[in-house]
Structures are given as structure tokens and as C-alpha cells.
Amino acid sequence: MADKRPFLEDGSQFGVSRTQFRRMRKAEKRDLMQQWFFSEYEDPAESTPYESAEGGYQYIWGGPYEARDELYAMFGDIVPESLIEEVAQEIEKDGTFDWAPVQKAEDFEPIEDDEPPSLDIYLDEPGPNYGSPAEREARKQALVAIERLEKIMEKRRARGIGHNNPPEDIDVPDFSEIQQATLQLKTEFQKQNPLIAFIKKWAKPLRDTLVAAAKWAGRKIDKAVDEAMKPLGIAAGTFVATQLFPPIRHVFDAVIAWLELAAKAIF
């Protein structure tokens, strides 16, 4: 679990220690408290799956959280309650009262060197569990993972994607291909009877991306590789644990879990 302390005793997170924080002016404390809150929590519209049939946002990563509660838990022993109320009101000024946790690189497991499972071991024929409650639940979980990935990619697209090419010996789908694959998977999983062959086809670009991630993970990060990673809008130092690749892995794993139930296998 990620450390949510607003500052560490040595001041390494926000550049101040608790002692220094106590000596700050009120306005400075207020700014740091807001900075901490928005580093840990975000509007659920940014990243949280929404299902009207299920009653709205599905807080599958925790929440909803209220600003006052979280501020009090972090700062209640160091600032007066009146300041917490003041900061909470500022945070809620745009009308958001329920918050979702920010998904950070350290919240995900690092990408392993092992290649993801092959799609070729699954036949295009439905297995005996196709249409079962377990299969339909696996389909639903895949849709949830896909919606999460869509939201993260949309945020990255809005920030801009570079146009450099990856290293020649690393074949990675471009961003638009990943977006297209995600959209096609979502559309197919929403059908009454998803086609196994179609799911396998559009899961392949996601698998290719994970294989490329594993190759990059084993490399020494240098300036050249850093430049090559710009097409995906990520920094070299955080490539392996970036917010983009763990959700891709989660989607692919959900597809594999569905195939295990829906399709016949070679063995």
C-alpha cells in the first residue's frame, strides 16, 4: 500500500518536515494540504468505471472518500479543525463531494519478465461454460477493466503524445492501435454472444504491448531509450510501473480469464 503521509520526517516527499510545517503560515499550510489531497484523490469521473444499472460509479479501487475525513486523518493532529474545514470547502467548491483514489505507479505490481499467456492455446469454439453465470461474470469484469484503461488513455491523449519511434528491435503497437483494440474489445464484450475469434484478434495488440514492456524493463534506461518511449507519453524512469501498462495488463488478464471459461483449449 502506498504511503499516504503528506510529508515524511526527513521532508523527502513535499520538501518539509513536520516541524517545518508547524512553523508555516496559514496560507502555506492550506496550499500544502490541498496539494497532498489532490495527489491522493481525484474526481471519480477521471478514472472510475460508471454503470448506471449498478447505481453509478463503481469504486473498485476504494472509496468514495470525503475530503474532510481524509484531511482530518492526515492533518488532524497538527492543524486546527477550522483549517481542515476551510481546505475541504475549497476542494469541494466545484461541486465534487465524493472522491476516488489516484492510481499511482507504486500501487501496481511491476511488470514481470515472463511473457503473458499465448492466445493461440484457445480455440475459436465455445466451451461448455460459455453462457454460464461464471462466464458472464468474467465478461463483466473484463468490461470494467477495459473502461478503466479507456479513461487512462483518454487522459494521456489529452496531455499529448510524442512522435518518436521506439527502438528498431522492439515492435510495439502505436497508441492509436491500442485505443482501437480497446474499443473493439469493449464493443464485442457488450454483445449477447461475443465471438471468441474476435476477442482473440483484438487482445493481440495488448499482448504485444506487454511483451514490449517486458523487453524495455530489462534494459538500462538511458537518454536514447527515454526518447524512444515518448510515443506512449511516458518517462523512461517510470516506464515499467507507469499507469498505462498495468491497466493494459489487467485488461489482458481479464480476457484470459474469460477465455478460460468461454473457449475450448488445445490442452
Side-chain angles (χ1 to χ4, degrees), residues 66-168:
E66 294 186 9
R68 287 167 183 79
D69 292 342
E70 301 311 308
L71 289 168
Y72 186 82
M74 290 298 109
F75 297 95
D77 65 336
I78 200 170
V79 300
E81 192 167 344
S82 59
L83 181 55
I84 291 176
E85 178 64 25
E86 183 178 332
V87 174
Q89 288 183 11
E90 179 66 20
I91 289 171
E92 296 173 344
K93 67 180 181 180
D94 292 330
T96 301
F97 300 96
D98 294 329
W99 301 85
V102 170
Q103 296 297 299
K104 299 180 179 180
E106 60 265 29
D107 294 330
F108 296 105
E109 297 176 1
I111 295 174
E112 298 178 354
D113 292 337
D114 295 338
E115 286 195 1
S118 172
L119 295 162
D120 295 334
I121 66 174
Y122 301 101
L123 303 176
D124 295 344
E125 305 172 36
N129 291 318
Y130 189 93
S132 68
E135 180 268 320
R136 291 186 177 277
E137 177 61 25
R139 192 186 309 178
K140 179 179 177 182
Q141 292 304 314
L143 282 169
V144 169
I146 288 169
E147 185 172 349
R148 165 65 176 168
L149 175 57
E150 280 185 322
K151 289 180 179 295
I152 291 177
M153 288 195 298
E154 177 60 26
K155 289 171 69 176
R156 290 198 175 276
R157 186 197 64 78
R159 294 171 185 167
I161 303 298
H163 299 286
N164 302 73
N165 294 320
E168 293 181 359

Side-chain angles (χ1 to χ4, degrees), residues 1-7 13-14 33-43 47 61-62 65 70 74-75 99-104 106-107:
M1 191 72 178
D3 192 336
K4 289 188 176 183
R5 287 179 292 172
F7 36 74
Q13 188 167 352
F14 278 93
M33 291 167 69
Q34 288 188 49
Q35 181 184 355
W36 170 80
F37 184 85
F38 288 116
S39 74
E40 299 292 338
Y41 304 96
E42 64 184 357
D43 187 330
S47 61
W61 293 282
Y65 296 98
E70 301 311 308
M74 290 298 109
F75 297 95
W99 301 85
V102 170
Q103 296 297 299
K104 299 180 179 180
E106 60 265 29
D107 294 330

